Amino acid sequence: GIGFDWTFSYLSTSQRDTIVAGVKRLGFDEALVQYANKVFWTNCTFNWGIVTNGGLMVGGLAFLDEATAAANVSVVLSSAVVGVSCPFRSFAPHGGWHEGPMYWQYVAEYAQAVTESLRTIYGDDRNLSSATGFNETALFRLHLNGPSQTPFNFGDSTADISNSAAGYFMGYAALPTSSPSLRALCAYEGRRLAKLIAGYGGPNGASRYNCSRIDCARMLIEYSASGSQRDLAAQPTARLFKLSAFGWDGRPAIGFFRSAWSEEASGVSGREAWLGFKAANGVPNHNDLDGGTFVFEVGGQRWAIDMGSDNYQLPGYFTQSVAHRYGFYRKATAGHNTLTFNNDGVDWGACDQDPGMDGITEITLFEHRGGDGGHGGNSTSPTASPAYAIVGLTAAYAKQGVSRAERGFAFTSTFEQLLIVDEIELANETAQNVTWAMHTMAEIALDGSASAVLSLGGNTLHATVIEPKGHPFSATAVRLEPPQNPSDGVSKLMVQILLTEARQLSETATPTRIVVGLSMNAAAVTPTVRPLAEWKAPRGPFAS
């Protein structure tokens, strides 16, 4: 549609007639059949709803004044407005998107095209940009990026700086329903990311661009010079996003903590601490069985990674069951930075979280001193945490014989150390062992003790099993066979615990507790960690 509109005056009458006839037959006529048959995309809550309905709307607006297509186009437009409204509601309540950053970007492309096309033709966008959460969805994408400027790539997404959506930030800078301050922030973030994606400012300050990496046309069309680093620095350093589609039903689903926002001069080497984590839900399109998983950056490196998307041509990849999609390592629970029960290292599906509606969980506690109402306090004493949270995981593991499972994340004062705290109670003897795991691109050095040293990019991270005592780390290279995507360089840091033994060794009689610390400081002092039930403010996770 956009192509036809932009090249219209350069086309001959016969060329126009050929294009109109082809688009009518293959596009609008077929769309009317599918609307009549109520095909799934005509009224769905995920990316297909915006991409298909939105594409038809943009195309329809370009051909609306073509006599041979006008009648069908009018009907398509009226159906598409209804259909596209459904996935727009999935941005509720605060702009989060349930299919990960890659599909956020896919949806953003079509959402911006359809709203801007409607405003150009009619002067309004039929209230689409007023959908709850849509006018602040750029904040979701902002918090998804770590100091490396690569996203928390949960689901079928990649951790790639070219996936940073600079053009879409610039597009949201023109959204009339957003606040002026948010539009200024989006304009600045769009410009900043465009420089990084294009390769501006190397390690020696050299200015070398490769503009083929960015959507220059979109950037120029939407360009705004408003906003500055001050707008970014003013943002809260912690954010919790609730999601609405696919059974999330407004549950707190994805959380982010960071010690500060990176300066523009840092480029892709921001050394701030940053943590992204999520609750469990294997129901949405493109999601994994990854409740409790996390990605972690500090010192300019991403230490804990998400392995992201796999080969879409794998048999059964989009059949969301343990026997199909969730039997592949990247999509299975074992392929994430979380717990597995009865993990034999072979049958990934056997140790999966529940993939159904019954397995959905939520973030139950989220506290911080990040500038938007958190309760982490302002103390810098060793017993004060600037950011901490708890993810409920009981429902995800219930079929494994677990009666309670919770995972806590807590930073020590000044963000020096991240503690991951798991508490487990069993309903029966089904679960014989539990494995704690973290995937990384770092080299892992083990000495047979409860400590490990990770090396990456000239930096080191120290991992320690704090509870239960006496359990050494193990590590293995992750080697996935074709046709799965390559896993070159990925290693897995683990500690496996026999649950009967853990109950005897844990410093708390019940539940079984696993506490792992991550810090760049080998001499980091770990405070006494309270039981998760006592973390709620004002007490916090650490005892004096």
Side-chain angles (χ1 to χ4, degrees), residues 26 46 173 183 224 236 240 283 402 420:
L26 299 174
F46 52 98
R183 292 200 297 270
S224 168
L240 176 65
V283 178
V402 174
I420 301 103

Side-chain angles (χ1 to χ4, degrees), residues 136-338:
E136 54 182 330
T137 188
L139 290 174
F140 178 63
R141 193 62 183 80
L142 182 75
H143 284 270
L144 271 169
N145 270 11
S148 65
Q149 309 311 318
T150 56
F152 176 11
N153 56 309
F154 67 91
D156 287 327
S157 299
T158 58
D160 184 352
I161 194 168
S162 66
N163 193 29
S164 292
Y168 307 113
F169 274 111
M170 194 62 76
Y172 281 113
L175 195 65
T177 54
S178 292
S179 67
S181 61
L182 181 53
R183 292 200 297 270
L185 171 65
C186 289
Y188 169 72
E189 187 67 3
R191 298 194 307 275
R192 187 176 73 92
L193 289 180
K195 291 179 182 178
L196 295 176
I197 294 169
Y200 169 80
N204 298 316
S207 298
R208 303 182 68 181
Y209 289 94
N210 181 354
C211 290
S212 66
R213 297 177 180 175
I214 60 175
D215 187 346
C216 293
R218 180 182 295 274
M219 291 292 294
L220 290 171
I221 291 168
E222 308 282 7
Y223 187 79
S224 168
S226 63
S228 68
Q229 175 70 29
R230 290 191 299 273
D231 294 288
L232 180 61
Q235 292 302 302
T237 54
R239 187 69 187 257
L240 176 65
F241 287 92
K242 299 177 180 180
L243 298 178
S244 57
F246 282 96
W248 280 116
D249 296 334
R251 291 179 173 92
I254 303 175
F256 301 95
F257 294 133
R258 69 181 72 218
S259 56
W261 290 97
S262 302
E263 293 289 335
E264 182 170 2
S266 299
V268 296
S269 302
R271 298 185 63 81
E272 295 79 10
W274 171 79
L275 175 73
F277 55 96
K278 69 185 294 290
N281 188 344
V283 178
N285 287 14
H286 300 290
N287 271 220
D288 303 339
L289 298 184
D290 58 357
T293 197
F294 66 99
V295 288
F296 175 54
E297 292 186 18
V298 70
Q301 305 296 331
R302 178 163 294 189
W303 299 99
I305 67 166
D306 190 299
M307 292 184 68
S309 181
D310 213 325
N311 179 0
Y312 278 22
Q313 304 308 312
L314 289 170
Y317 189 76
F318 290 111
T319 301
Q320 287 167 286
S321 70
V322 169
H324 297 92
R325 177 181 178 88
Y326 300 132
F328 297 114
Y329 186 79
R330 278 184 173 87
K331 308 292 105 181
T333 305
H336 292 87
N337 305 329
T338 189

